[in-house]
Amino acid sequence: MLIAEAITKNYPTRTGVLEILRHVDLNLADGQSAVVLGPSGCGKSTLLNILGTLEPPTSGSLRLDDVEPGRLDERELAGFRNRRIGFVFQEHHLLPQCTVLENVLIPTLVRRDSGGAAADRARALLTRVGLAGRLEHFPAEISGGERQRVAIARALINQPALLLADEPTGNLDRRTAETVGDLLLELQSLEGFMLVLVTHSERLAGRFPRRYALIDGALEPLAASA
Ligand code: ADP
């Protein structure tokens, strides 16, 4: 489970302190998802970066399963993040010189024991996202929607407990965005990870049962979607 309690984030600036997150609480049980809506600049990426242990909160506590990432040293934290948290960003961040299959395997390279099992899982995930016929293609040889599918498979290769998605469909046309949104939900019900997705798209958010808005740094629950 994910427990974020009383998370605040302030950035000191020349003209004073910017309060980006104020006392944010977010709890997810295993297999639950939440979507966070809000306009550009409201702090959505900051919240995801904190949940993903990429940056520390100014105050508040975070726990993922039985681990408090704030208590880990830098090396332990990097290992924890690699094993337990997957990220999908607006940009796919695939390595252009690596094939689709190689890109998905990159997060497994730090584990020496990965070997054949990792390649089998990568192939199975890529088949699941509809790319069984593109394993040896390079990112430049596939479409934008396909690149984002590869990024999703890469984020899931280590079977993370938590998947964080930051505007994952922001660069895609409407139809492709819908299929990528559906794919994330399908994979979640299949694999049982927790999912936090941030977006400014009401359309994408509408597909999720638990929705929040980030308003003036506070997380407000929204009524369930129809
Ligand atoms: P969103 O993802 O909702 O577009 P962000 O989380 O990226 O918003 O940013 C929220 C606000 O925090 C923005 O106004 C941004 O300028 C500010 N901000 C983000 N990072 C820093 C930083 N390192 N120093 C100062 N201000 C920052």
Side-chain angles (χ1 to χ4, degrees):
M1 60 198 302
L2 172 74
I3 304 176
E5 275 177 343
I7 300 285
T8 65
K9 185 71 183 181
N10 299 336
Y11 289 116
T13 67
R14 281 180 300 280
T15 49
V17 174
L18 263 184
E19 288 187 293
I20 304 299
L21 300 175
R22 300 169 204 246
H23 216 87
V24 167
D25 295 323
L26 181 65
N27 293 350
L28 289 184
D30 290 348
Q32 270 190 331
S33 65
V35 70
V36 178
L37 267 163
S40 182
C42 75
K44 303 186 298 300
S45 300
T46 303
L47 176 60
L48 269 205
N49 288 346
I50 291 171
L51 297 178
T53 75
L54 292 170
E55 59 180 300
T58 304
S59 64
S61 70
L62 180 68
R63 209 158 62 118
L64 181 60
D65 295 334
D66 52 356
V67 177
E68 287 181 56
R71 294 181 186 272
L72 303 179
D73 67 31
E74 213 170 302
R75 201 163 150 262
E76 292 168 330
L77 188 59
F80 170 79
R81 197 185 298 127
N82 173 260
R83 287 188 310 277
R84 306 303 286 152
I85 306 177
F87 296 89
V88 181
F89 299 99
Q90 182 166 348
E91 300 290 333
H92 52 76
H93 298 298
L94 299 178
L95 296 180
Q97 71 276 30
C98 292
T99 64
V100 161
L101 182 61
E102 287 166 349
N103 266 288
V104 173
L105 283 169
I106 284 167
T108 69
L109 296 180
V110 293
R111 298 198 320 257
R112 273 175 232 126
D113 60 344
S114 53
D120 288 348
R121 176 159 168 80
R123 282 193 202 91
L125 276 169
L126 284 164
T127 301
R128 190 68 201 73
V129 302
L131 293 175
R134 301 285 186 277
L135 302 186
E136 302 303 326
H137 281 53
F138 290 95
E141 299 169 339
I142 57 177
S143 71
E146 289 172 337
R147 285 195 278 269
Q148 204 55 324
R149 286 163 182 263
V150 178
I152 292 169
R154 180 186 53 188
L156 296 177
I157 186 71
N158 286 338
Q159 292 185 276
L162 174 64
L163 180 68
L164 300 172
D166 192 347
E167 296 282 10
T169 64
N171 283 349
L172 306 176
D173 64 68
R174 194 167 116 183
R175 237 182 107 157
T176 311
E178 282 180 12
T179 58
V180 167
D182 288 342
L183 182 64
L184 279 171
L185 286 167
E186 271 169 46
L187 286 165
Q188 193 211 6
S189 69
L190 206 69
E191 299 237 330
F193 50 82
M194 293 175 282
L195 172 62
V196 181
L197 183 144
V198 307
T199 184
H200 63 267
S201 163
E202 298 267 356
R203 179 177 286 272
L204 177 61
R207 296 173 124 72
F208 287 78
R210 283 179 77 199
R211 301 184 305 148
Y212 298 85
L214 195 55
I215 300 169
D216 295 332
L219 202 58
E220 315 267 354
L222 293 170
S225 332

